[in-house]
Amino acid sequence: MLTASCQRFAVRCSVLLAFVVATSGTLPAQTASDLARLVHPDVADQLGLDDAQRAKIQSLLQQRLELVGQATPEKPADLSAIDKQIQESLTADQWKAFQAAPPEQKLRFQFREQSWADVLQWFARQDNLTLVMDRAPSGTFTYSDNRSYTPTEAIDLLNSVLLTKNFTLLRRDRMLTVIELTTDIPIELIPRIKLEDLPSRGRFELVSVLFPLGKRPIDAVVTEVQPYLSNYGRAVPLAQSRQLLVIETAGKMQTINLLIASVPEPVPPPQPPRPEPQPAPVFAAYPLGNLDPLSTLATIKKLIPSEQITVDDKTRVLSAFLVPAQQTAIQTAITQMQKDSTESPGLESMSYKVENVDAVALEKQIVAVAPTALVSFDAVNKKVIVTAPALDQAKIAKLLEAVGSPVASQDMMVKSYQLLSTQSATVTLALKAMLPNSQVLSNDASGIIIIRGSDADLQLADEVVTTYKTKPAESTPQLKVYPLDQIVPATWLAQVTKAFPDASLWLDAEQKQLLALATATEQTRLES
């Protein structure tokens, strides 16, 4: 069943259809003017229209009205396609029954100085309405033409005149009420419709519409709408539901809707970005292999300062309770450290005889051709020892040959040793003092010591490293240097060595310092 708004929509359609038929000739005048009656509940029930048919016909009639509104006397609307769709929406029997039904009653205005009370009573009788009128407008009504009007059109025509006298007609169901606009009109008497139902209402028909305001400031909306309202129009803000109830003629409601939409909604303040959820920490353990546990822990904590990183010196395992990204960083660092500790550095050490050269100037020349080279000078033996990649050594050799400094020892060999990082510094100092003619390089972080020297020097280095590595942890030897007041002979060193058989003792090249690799107890005895 369709609502009362559909009835009014149907009546409105019939008036416009009558005009179009007279200009376009698409259907017989009687049939075209009655097409809007298809959405009238009584007519739809008599024809047996289902809900789908009623909805489709109402949509087509709305399109027909829009075409009619766009038509001009010079270019009448072509409604043949829509008329055909409306007819095809019905079955053959329904269309035949509709054509046989009596046409809707039309009204003609032929009034000359007739009192308003008589005019309104006449209209109520014609449309079979009950007239409620406490007071009739003053004066008379004069109007006549040859046009036929539907009841809805007739009410709109009468309202257009009555509004000038501060009166209006309200039609609710089968009751027609005459309202004087000089007094407050009870809101409940005014028909409330939806915005989409406005096309089915007359332009001068008084209605009420509830407009949603969203987040727009209510005061700003009322200020925008109020100047457009007539003397009898009202705008009632409903703060709780954020709506505006507007009482005005239907012809103004669409403009009021645009005025409300023109009031901007406040821009909400930007929301602070929601923090990304932090991943939960996980536990992981990393075997260190040959890496020194304590030095590795120190290196890792420089990368990731955290108390959740520990190391077990006995099992040589580093443990961490951190988020996955930090665990990945630890794994990468340990892998690289282990790789650095096992791979050969790819360097060669060569010694060159040098005489009467400026050491500082020579070093600058060598670094100029080999930026990564490590340069050291042996003043006693008059040699420069250069550690650099093999390709750079060829450049360095050509440079030194140009200044008269050939390679000193082509038969020297290279050997590397792996110790704990806590041991490499002590052993390196001992080897440098014991092997003045060899090149000793070390990486304290990885515990690797590289020696380039003669076969005899490498054999001595083997003995020192083996002795140092086999010492118990509690008797780990320490290297100390003791300055001597005078140059001592070799026989003096032999006598001291007999007194300290478990220590390794030797003199520096100038025999002015005693170097001792011994336990803390022996070092104390030696000092006394």
Side-chain angles (χ1 to χ4, degrees):
M1 297 296 293
L2 299 181
T3 62
S5 63
C6 295
Q7 301 180 36
R8 287 188 292 270
F9 174 73
V11 174
R12 180 174 171 84
C13 289
S14 65
V15 176
L16 294 174
L17 291 174
F19 168 76
V20 174
V21 169
T23 56
S24 64
T26 57
L27 286 176
Q30 183 65 33
T31 302
S33 64
D34 286 346
L35 284 176
R37 297 174 54 239
L38 288 169
V39 295
H40 193 285
D42 293 340
V43 176
D45 290 342
Q46 291 174 5
L47 296 178
L49 302 183
D50 57 29
D51 292 341
Q53 286 177 305
R54 298 184 196 205
K56 182 177 181 180
I57 291 171
Q58 185 168 359
S59 175
L60 292 171
L61 289 175
Q62 180 63 40
Q63 297 176 36
R64 205 177 199 282
L65 279 176
E66 293 173 358
L67 290 176
V68 170
Q70 299 170 5
T72 63
E74 295 79 16
K75 188 178 181 180
D78 183 5
L79 305 176
S80 56
I82 290 184
D83 289 346
K84 184 177 180 182
Q85 291 182 59
I86 294 174
Q87 180 178 347
E88 291 175 350
S89 300
L90 306 177
T91 65
D93 291 340
Q94 288 172 337
W95 179 249
K96 184 177 179 180
F98 174 68
Q99 288 181 306
E104 184 180 24
Q105 181 181 358
K106 301 295 177 66
L107 304 178
R108 289 180 180 272
F109 285 91
Q110 299 292 338
F111 293 102
R112 190 174 189 83
E113 296 184 359
Q114 192 76 26
S115 69
W116 276 101
D118 293 340
V119 171
L120 297 177
Q121 289 173 359
W122 168 84
F123 174 74
R125 288 194 303 271
Q126 296 300 315
D127 200 24
N128 194 25
L129 299 174
T130 299
L131 181 64
V132 178
M133 181 173 59
D134 293 336
R135 191 166 82 86
S138 60
T140 60
F141 176 65
T142 299
Y143 183 83
S144 65
D145 64 15
N146 294 324
R147 180 182 173 184
S148 297
Y149 293 87
T150 65
T152 299
E153 286 184 307
I155 289 179
D156 203 36
L157 176 61
L158 292 173
N159 273 333
S160 67
V161 181
L162 287 173
L163 287 175
T164 64
K165 298 178 176 294
N166 291 325
F167 279 85
T168 190
L169 294 175
L170 299 179
R171 181 176 180 181
R172 296 176 63 88
D173 298 328
R174 305 308 299 174
M175 182 178 295
L176 183 67
T177 305
V178 181
I179 298 294
E180 186 174 2
L181 298 175
T182 54
T183 60
D184 290 339
I185 305 174
I187 294 178
E188 60 271 12
L189 292 181
I190 301 173
R192 182 172 300 180
I193 65 171
K194 297 180 180 179
L195 196 61
E196 56 266 26
D197 294 332
L198 284 175
S200 65
R201 295 284 177 163
R203 292 185 302 114
F204 299 99
E205 187 173 354
L206 197 63
V207 295
S208 65
V209 176
L210 206 55
F211 294 94
L213 302 182
K215 296 182 180 180
R216 297 177 178 86
I218 295 178
D219 293 342
V221 173
V222 173
T223 302
E224 191 72 22
V225 171
Q226 195 69 46
Y228 189 69
L229 300 178
S230 59
N231 294 336
Y232 44 83
R234 295 163 62 185
V236 182
L238 306 177
Q240 292 296 327
S241 59
R242 301 200 57 79
Q243 298 180 95
L244 185 68
L245 177 64
V246 179
I247 300 170
E248 187 51 87
T249 55
K252 288 190 173 185
M253 288 298 185
Q254 200 60 254
T255 302
I256 292 174
N257 184 46
L258 295 176
L259 289 175
I260 294 174
S262 69
V263 178
E265 295 191 48
V267 179
Q271 296 294 326
R274 302 181 68 178
E276 293 292 334
Q278 294 296 324
V282 295
F283 179 81
Y286 306 93
L288 299 181
N290 291 330
L291 297 179
D292 177 70
L294 296 180
S295 62
T296 302
L297 177 64
T299 302
I300 294 298
K301 282 197 171 185
K302 290 180 181 178
L303 176 66
I304 305 174
S306 173
E307 297 301 321
Q308 301 299 321
I309 306 174
T310 58
V311 70
D312 188 330
D313 194 23
K314 294 182 179 180
T315 61
R316 307 177 68 79
V317 172
L318 184 141
S319 303
F321 185 66
L322 300 169
V323 297
Q326 293 174 319
Q327 297 285 15
T328 301
I330 292 177
Q331 178 66 68
T332 302
I334 291 178
T335 300
Q336 186 62 43
M337 292 166 67
Q338 291 174 336
K339 181 179 179 182
D340 292 342
S341 69
T342 56
E343 288 185 351
S344 171
L347 302 176
E348 288 186 356
S349 294
M350 303 289 289
S351 62
Y352 303 88
K353 281 287 186 181
V354 290
E355 293 184 3
N356 301 322
V357 296
D358 184 345
V360 176
L362 181 60
E363 183 176 359
K364 289 183 179 180
Q365 290 178 317
I366 294 174
V367 173
V369 298
T372 61
L374 299 176
V375 182
S376 61
F377 289 90
D378 184 351
V380 175
N381 298 301
K382 297 181 179 181
K383 294 189 299 181
V384 59
I385 303 171
V386 183
T387 303
L391 294 177
D392 288 343
Q393 289 289 7
K395 300 177 184 178
I396 296 170
K398 290 183 179 180
L399 169 66
L400 295 178
E401 286 176 3
V403 296
S405 301
V407 177
S409 302
Q410 297 289 354
D411 59 344
M412 297 181 73
M413 296 178 290
V414 178
K415 191 168 185 179
S416 64
Y417 302 91
Q418 176 68 61
L419 289 87
L420 298 177
S421 59
T422 55
Q423 301 171 330
S424 61
T426 300
V427 176
T428 299
L429 288 175
L431 291 175
K432 284 182 177 180
M434 296 172 65
L435 308 174
N437 295 325
S438 297
Q439 177 71 9
V440 181
L441 303 174
S442 67
N443 185 329
D444 293 340
S446 62
I448 294 178
I449 299 175
I450 300 175
I451 303 175
R452 180 180 177 84
S454 63
D455 184 61
D457 285 351
L458 292 181
Q459 289 182 8
L460 179 57
D462 286 343
E463 295 176 5
V464 173
V465 172
T466 301
T467 301
Y468 194 84
K469 292 177 69 175
T470 56
K471 290 286 184 180
E474 61 273 9
S475 58
T476 301
Q478 301 175 358
L479 179 65
K480 285 191 176 182
V481 179
Y482 299 95
L484 303 176
D485 296 336
Q486 58 185 355
I487 298 176
V488 297
T491 55
W492 178 85
L493 178 62
Q495 293 175 355
V496 175
T497 302
K498 291 180 180 179
F500 297 92
D502 295 329
S504 298
L505 305 175
W506 62 93
L507 296 172
D508 67 351
E510 298 180 359
Q511 296 181 309
K512 291 183 178 181
Q513 289 181 322
L514 174 66
L515 290 85
L517 181 63
T519 63
T521 302
E522 291 174 324
Q523 294 285 9
T524 302
R525 290 179 53 229
L526 184 58
E527 289 176 1
S528 63

